[in-house]
Amino acid sequence: EKNVMQSKVQADTLVKKQTFEPTNTKSDEIQPSDLRSIFHDVNEVIGQTNHLDTTKVYQYDEASPIIKNEQLVTSRQPMQNSQTTIQANIQPMLQEQVHFQTSSEKMHGNFGFVKMLYNVLSEHEVDEKYINQIIDDVGNIISTDNSLDYLISNVYQKMVLKLGKPKTIHLPDAKQYVVFFVGPTGVGKTTTIAKIASKFKVEQGKKVALLTADTYRIAATEQLNVYAQILETPLNIVYTSEEINEKISEMKNYDLILVDTVGFSHKNEHQRDNMKQILETVDDSYQKEVYLVLSATTKYQDLKDIIDSYQGFTDFNMIFTKLDETTMYGNILNAKLYAGANLSYVTMGQNVPDDIAEIDMQKMVKQLLGGE
């Protein structure tokens, strides 16, 4: 109890000037290029140290300009993806390894294509169960009349359909929108929240507030507080499930409330029950949505255990982080098909607000099939 009380005192100190909207600030003064510049400095500091200094309280100085780095970081250009592109990348690879003969032996060649498809998906760590499902889906077109181009086209389309359409945050007109970010420790929930908050406040001009229910890790609270200071948006702390509606009510003038939560092991039943209670306590007058944040580098068996744990008490959409740390994307398809939940965003680095995007299903399938 003594440690918990000390954590509360430290956390309260960190955000004591951030529980309500800062005065004398104008959200329209912050530009995307400004945020990229200042977040660049913050991310470099975070990247150079394993632990933030929890004894230092960051305070916003209204007398000084928010931007300290004059060099602007430009946005990444969106990648163009098409069925034509995927066929151009994959077909030469398949033709090199699968020998297609004419007339009577054409059927044998098509089964060679299936074998090649199996190998390519296996290399990307797609689970055997789902590889067989994909092969079954295209089994009826494996015939003497279908060309390699036709087979590739059908596999591509089937896999895009399996991944479905991304489900991202869209603000309702009527209800206040409260979004919870849940998931294990170390997957990047806090940074993901900062990226989403930046995009909605700066790019869409929405009023965004932050809540944190993570009172176990003071460093996480401090990191979120740094982001709140940069965005000039309020940050408040939730200690118990009974407080959640009160804290949301205090931010009733905000369009979007993003809630950071404690990361816990799927084996920790006590913390899982606490999370369930917080989610169930949110009043029906608010529109609530939950996003499960997962790392693309996590082993599939662990992903299944995590998904099972959260599906035991809530529905969710899925965000995948750390795409820049792996070249194997099979687990994204595995998790999608195992959970039956919607995919939403992917992140590919620590840079706020740039390294996040709505998942591009066509690009993902192209990569799974060996394209670039």
Side-chain angles (χ1 to χ4, degrees):
E1 293 181 0
K2 182 179 179 181
N3 291 336
V4 172
M5 289 302 298
Q6 288 177 341
S7 296
K8 288 184 177 182
V9 170
Q10 287 180 291
D12 279 334
T13 302
L14 287 172
V15 297
K16 63 183 179 180
K17 290 191 176 182
Q18 284 295 114
T19 52
F20 299 98
E21 184 176 10
T23 58
N24 300 324
T25 60
K26 296 180 181 179
S27 61
D28 58 0
E29 292 179 352
I30 307 176
Q31 300 299 320
S33 57
D34 297 337
L35 279 179
R36 292 187 190 98
S37 179
I38 193 166
F39 271 125
H40 176 73
D41 294 339
V42 174
N43 289 320
E44 281 195 343
V45 172
I46 292 173
Q48 290 170 1
T49 179
N50 292 328
H51 300 286
L52 291 172
D53 181 5
T54 58
T55 64
K56 181 179 178 182
V57 179
Y58 292 85
Q59 301 295 348
Y60 174 65
D61 183 2
E62 295 180 4
S64 65
I66 187 170
I67 304 304
K68 297 179 175 62
N69 184 350
E70 295 181 355
Q71 184 176 359
L72 303 182
V73 181
T74 58
S75 298
R76 289 191 173 95
Q77 294 298 320
M79 298 183 186
Q80 300 297 322
N81 301 285
S82 66
Q83 186 172 314
T84 302
T85 305
I86 185 174
Q87 288 181 232
N89 280 275
I90 297 172
Q91 184 166 333
M93 176 185 65
L94 292 174
Q95 286 177 325
E96 286 178 4
Q97 301 187 46
V98 181
H99 178 59
F100 281 83
Q101 298 180 354
T102 60
S103 190
S104 63
E105 294 187 338
K106 211 168 194 179
M107 175 69 81
H108 174 74
N110 284 349
F111 278 115
F113 164 80
V114 171
K115 181 178 179 181
M116 186 62 215
L117 174 63
Y118 187 97
N119 290 338
V120 169
L121 293 177
S122 293
E123 288 174 1
H124 276 269
E125 300 180 358
V126 177
D127 187 77
E128 183 178 11
K129 172 182 177 181
Y130 304 125
I131 297 177
N132 288 329
Q133 286 183 8
I134 293 168
I135 292 173
D136 287 344
D137 286 344
V138 296
N140 61 334
I141 62 168
I142 301 174
S143 70
T144 57
D145 297 324
N146 294 320
S147 66
L148 178 60
D149 286 351
Y150 184 81
L151 293 173
I152 293 173
S153 175
N154 273 268
V155 169
Y156 170 76
Q157 292 176 11
K158 295 285 187 182
M159 290 182 65
V160 170
L161 289 174
K162 279 184 175 294
L163 285 172
K165 294 182 178 180
K167 173 66 173 66
T168 53
I169 298 172
H170 294 281
L171 302 188
D173 295 328
K175 292 184 177 182
Q176 194 172 21
Y177 201 48
V178 184
V179 181
F180 288 82
F181 294 82
V182 302
T185 303
V187 295
K189 291 192 299 296
T190 305
T191 306
T192 300
I193 289 171
K195 293 172 183 176
I196 292 175
S198 300
K199 288 188 175 294
F200 273 92
K201 178 163 185 177
V202 179
E203 296 179 8
Q204 298 188 26
K206 301 298 183 181
K207 296 187 67 178
V208 180
L210 304 177
L211 286 178
T212 178
D214 186 355
T215 58
Y216 290 84
R217 296 186 307 131
I218 300 304
T221 302
E222 181 169 4
Q223 184 180 352
L224 192 61
N225 186 55
V226 173
Y227 293 142
Q229 294 283 348
I230 294 171
L231 289 169
E232 301 177 17
T233 197
L235 170 64
N236 215 334
I237 300 176
V238 177
Y239 292 111
T240 66
S241 60
E242 290 78 11
E243 294 180 332
I244 185 67
N245 289 313
E246 175 188 349
K247 299 299 184 181
I248 294 173
S249 178
E250 290 177 6
M251 297 174 170
K252 61 185 177 182
N253 294 323
Y254 289 82
D255 303 309
L256 176 63
I257 299 175
L258 305 177
V259 187
D260 196 6
T261 64
V262 61
F264 60 86
S265 166
H266 53 274
K267 299 177 182 179
N268 191 320
E269 294 185 5
H270 174 69
Q271 290 182 338
R272 182 180 61 195
D273 290 343
N274 287 343
M275 179 70 66
K276 176 182 178 182
Q277 191 171 8
I278 288 176
L279 293 174
E280 290 179 345
T281 304
V282 176
D283 194 275
D284 290 339
S285 61
Y286 307 116
Q287 181 163 333
K288 176 187 70 179
E289 198 157 26
V290 179
Y291 284 78
L292 175 61
V293 184
L294 300 166
S295 170
T297 63
T298 302
K299 293 187 299 184
Y300 179 42
Q301 183 57 54
D302 291 333
L303 284 178
K304 291 196 292 184
D305 291 339
I306 294 166
I307 289 169
D308 287 343
S309 177
Y310 284 94
Q311 279 191 325
F313 61 86
T314 185
D315 295 327
F316 52 75
N317 306 301
M318 293 188 294
I319 297 173
F320 272 89
T321 63
K322 304 185 180 182
L323 263 69
D324 56 312
E325 297 182 15
T326 181
T327 57
M328 301 299 162
Y329 303 114
N331 272 345
I332 297 179
L333 176 62
N334 292 338
K336 158 65 182 175
L337 298 181
Y338 181 79
N342 294 311
L343 297 171
S344 55
Y345 301 98
V346 290
T347 73
M348 60 297 289
Q350 292 293 313
N351 294 316
V352 180
D354 288 326
D355 291 339
I356 188 170
E358 179 178 307
I359 187 169
D360 185 331
M361 304 306 185
Q362 295 186 21
K363 180 174 182 288
M364 183 62 60
V365 170
K366 177 180 147 184
Q367 290 169 324
L368 286 171
L369 291 174
E372 297 179 358

